[in-house]
Amino acid sequence: MRQIHVVLSLRSTLLTEKVATRLTAVPWARPGAPADVSVVDETGAAGPRTVAVLSSPDAVEGLVRIGVTGLVLADDPVEDVVRAIHDVHRFGGWISPRLVPSLLPGPPPASLTSRERETLRMLAEGWENAEIAAAMFITVSAVKYHVSNLLRKFGCRDRTQLVSRLGRPLLVRS
């Protein structure tokens, strides 16, 4: 198997030592620069072939957006960091199983009315308030009322955040 050169840039010397010790035990990994894979703290993460070590799941979405392809939590077992290094190099990506729920959209609240579900479906498809009102044979202010209820129930500040939190329009079909 081809050697993978790894650069560790972590604030925690204890974690750096643990990972480095574990890496020396596997035949495919060697410390080196230039690196095939970089292991960095979440604040220094950027781009592909980077394994970001996160202190909490809060930064996952932003790191995925900037192209980070490996995500582990700082308190994951060292074996997970080593596996992330291997899989980022060999297969292009790896994510800690504990971080997967933070990337998946949650289901809609069970307490949605049929009108709210219909409004949500149309919002997810990009409809404007006036278009929704015409299709549902209600006033624009009634649509705004439904949208406000949806924002409150999903804990979102605006329609864009609401639609992005849904992930897929299929989740809102009746």
Side-chain angles (χ1 to χ4, degrees):
M1 172 174 255
R2 180 174 176 250
Q3 291 276 324
I4 301 172
H5 296 280
V6 181
V7 168
L8 300 173
S9 301
L10 299 168
R11 285 187 302 262
S12 167
T13 54
L14 179 62
L15 183 58
T16 301
E17 288 172 11
K18 282 183 177 179
V19 173
T21 301
R22 180 67 179 89
L23 285 175
T24 58
V26 294
W28 49 261
R30 292 286 174 260
D36 295 318
V37 177
S38 299
V39 180
V40 299
D41 292 302
E42 61 194 275
T43 54
R49 302 239 184 222
T50 301
V51 175
V53 179
L54 297 98
S55 54
S56 76
D58 300 336
V60 169
E61 225 176 284
L63 292 172
V64 169
R65 254 189 249 118
I66 62 170
V68 173
T69 53
L71 299 166
V72 295
L73 285 167
D75 59 349
D76 278 347
V78 173
E79 288 73 25
D80 284 358
V81 179
V82 173
R83 177 157 184 196
I85 293 165
H86 176 267
D87 287 2
V88 163
H89 181 264
R90 182 114 190 250
F91 305 111
W94 195 86
I95 183 166
S96 169
R98 293 174 46 211
L99 291 171
V100 171
S102 62
L103 288 171
L104 298 175
S111 62
L112 293 182
T113 66
S114 60
R115 287 293 202 178
E116 288 170 342
R117 285 186 186 281
E118 192 174 357
T119 303
L120 188 57
R121 181 185 57 77
M122 292 178 194
L123 282 174
E125 292 174 2
W127 293 35
E128 297 293 326
N129 286 352
E131 295 171 315
I132 296 170
M136 293 174 65
F137 301 105
I138 59 177
T139 64
V140 172
S141 62
V143 172
K144 289 179 182 179
Y145 175 76
H146 292 314
V147 171
S148 294
N149 284 341
L150 290 167
L151 293 175
R152 181 181 45 79
K153 288 180 179 182
F154 280 91
C156 297
R157 67 181 171 274
D158 57 35
R159 320 162 56 114
T160 305
Q161 186 182 29
L162 175 64
V163 171
S164 71
R165 189 163 290 168
L166 293 175
R168 294 178 220 108
L170 297 175
L171 291 176
V172 295
R173 298 217 174 165
S174 315

